[in-house]
Amino acid sequence: MTFANSAYLLLLLLIIPAVVWYVMKGRKRRASISVPSTGMFAAVGKSWKCYLIHLPFILEMLAFAMLAVILARPQTTDRWQDTEIEGIDIMMCVDVSTSMLAQDLKPNRLEAAKSVAAEFINGRPNDNIGLSIFAGEAFTQCPMTVDHAVLLNMFNSVSSDIAARGIIDDGTAIGMGLANAISRLKDSQAKSKVIILLTDGSNNRGEISPLTAADMAKSFGIRVYTIGVGTNGTAPYPYGGTTVNMAVEIDEDVLRQIAATANGQYYRATSNSKLKEVYEEIDKLERTKLQVKEFSRNQEEYQPFALVLLLSLLGIVLLRQTVLRTIP
């Protein structure tokens, strides 16, 4: 048996001074009725009630001990199997340029990417995952973490108009985004290191070319999966309160070369469902082998102690109201 809040067991130490106080008090107790001699009672034996005089105090200490144990939350553990899960390190590298506002994916490319990526993250609870975003420049939105709730909150905070509002320079610096993600993975000790690069354009900004960044990824043993998101031909784009059709310009050749150089694969996502299929495919490719590690289930076991506590309190009340009742 284990205790979830074992510090409460220290309350049991209070029983020691309580017992000392009770003994000292008993030695100083005076008789309620004074008589000149007890000789007349010499032939009278001890009543059975004399043996019960200390029982209420014993029950009080027992009730206090049960309360301390209940507060400590006793638990038993069922060990079902031994498994050890080895996760991998993943950096998600997402394009947030203004072209990601195009509405050929619903409600737009970036929001669709965020939604599908969230499902991907939730399906990999043992992985160390981070987020890098880029437009005309790149930065880390969330370092790699196993706290996926924090990661998802930071992912959801990425606005689809972050570049349009001038928070970062607009454009598509694929090489810079990829280099930023590599900087987070290069010192990782994980057996498998992966970058998932999602963009809807062609590289037109940044000091590092996409293929140079791909060579960097390869040198550090990092696999890169590239995703070109957007329909073929034209896509509706919000402009000045209306919608205009813009040409879709994805440099698929470069994305294929990045994936080939860094031992990954290239995918084209032309719809929400296709994008989901892409992430599902990557999810299958990047599964790791399960090894042995202890797994357990805890069950609360306070009920027997609560029953003893209740019976103790009931016994104290009954004794003091019946056989040990005193005259005021």
Side-chain angles (χ1 to χ4, degrees):
M1 181 176 292
T2 58
F3 295 92
N5 302 319
S6 58
Y8 282 105
L9 294 177
L10 294 174
L11 293 173
L12 295 174
L13 296 176
L14 296 177
I15 294 177
I16 298 175
V19 172
V20 173
W21 172 82
Y22 183 80
V23 172
M24 298 298 293
K25 180 183 177 183
R27 290 180 178 177
K28 295 179 181 180
R29 186 180 292 120
R30 293 175 176 269
S32 300
I33 302 175
S34 298
V35 294
S37 174
T38 59
M40 66 184 74
F41 300 107
V44 180
K46 288 185 177 182
S47 169
W48 59 274
K49 294 182 180 181
C50 295
Y51 297 99
L52 299 179
I53 193 67
H54 301 296
L55 187 56
F57 176 75
I58 294 174
L59 291 176
E60 287 175 356
M61 294 298 99
L62 179 60
F64 180 80
M66 293 300 101
L67 178 60
V69 172
I70 291 171
L71 291 174
R73 290 182 59 195
Q75 298 175 339
T76 55
T77 301
D78 297 328
R79 304 189 184 279
W80 291 353
Q81 61 182 346
D82 288 338
T83 57
E84 183 177 359
I85 302 174
E86 182 181 344
I88 66 175
D89 286 355
I90 300 174
M91 279 298 295
M92 307 187 74
C93 188
V94 180
D95 187 346
V96 294
S97 58
T98 54
S99 59
M100 291 291 285
L101 291 170
Q103 298 171 354
D104 46 353
L105 276 70
K106 302 301 180 184
N108 58 50
R109 292 173 183 173
L110 182 56
E111 293 303 319
K114 287 164 57 177
S115 175
V116 176
E119 294 182 25
F120 176 81
I121 293 168
N122 287 326
R124 305 188 68 91
N126 303 298
D127 292 336
N128 207 18
I129 306 177
L131 173 64
S132 173
I133 63 176
F134 69 93
E137 53 188 319
F139 65 91
T140 302
Q141 177 76 0
C142 180
M144 286 187 299
T145 178
V146 293
D147 190 343
H148 293 173
V150 171
L151 171 63
L152 290 171
N153 283 336
M154 298 190 73
F155 202 168
N156 289 331
S157 70
V158 177
S159 172
S160 58
D161 61 351
I162 186 172
R165 290 186 287 122
I167 297 176
I168 62 175
D169 290 339
D170 199 10
T172 305
I174 296 175
M176 296 295 290
L178 191 53
N180 180 267
I182 292 169
S183 68
R184 292 291 177 175
L185 283 170
K186 64 184 180 65
D187 296 324
S188 169
Q189 300 301 312
K191 292 182 179 179
S192 183
K193 296 177 285 188
V194 173
I195 292 174
I196 302 175
L197 172 68
L198 183 145
T199 183
D200 67 343
S202 57
N203 189 77
N204 55 28
R205 296 289 297 273
E207 294 79 23
I208 302 175
S209 73
L211 296 183
T212 299
D215 288 329
M216 292 168 55
K218 181 180 180 180
S219 67
F220 288 113
I222 301 171
R223 278 195 303 280
V224 180
Y225 294 96
T226 57
I227 304 173
V229 58
T231 54
N232 296 309
T234 61
Y237 181 85
Y239 181 78
T242 184
T243 300
V244 297
N245 287 324
M246 294 182 60
V248 176
E249 298 178 356
I250 299 177
D251 195 340
E252 293 191 272
D253 289 338
V254 168
L255 294 181
R256 286 193 180 93
Q257 290 179 58
I258 292 172
T261 301
N263 300 313
Q265 291 188 34
Y266 167 69
Y267 301 92
R268 181 69 184 270
T270 56
S271 65
N272 292 53
S273 59
K274 184 61 178 179
L275 181 60
K276 185 174 182 180
E277 290 175 9
V278 168
Y279 272 100
E280 289 174 349
E281 182 65 24
I282 296 173
D283 184 52
K284 294 175 184 177
L285 291 173
E286 289 299 335
R287 284 295 173 184
T288 54
K289 188 176 181 180
L290 298 180
Q291 297 177 354
V292 177
K293 181 181 179 182
E294 185 177 75
F295 171 79
S296 61
R297 181 184 64 179
N298 292 330
Q299 183 175 350
E300 301 289 340
E301 296 291 350
Y302 68 90
Q303 295 91 342
F305 301 98
L307 179 60
V308 174
L309 171 61
L310 180 62
L311 293 177
S312 299
L313 295 175
L314 182 60
I316 294 169
V317 173
L318 290 176
L319 286 171
R320 289 181 173 171
Q321 295 299 319
T322 55
V323 296
L324 296 181
R325 187 173 184 179
T326 58
I327 300 175

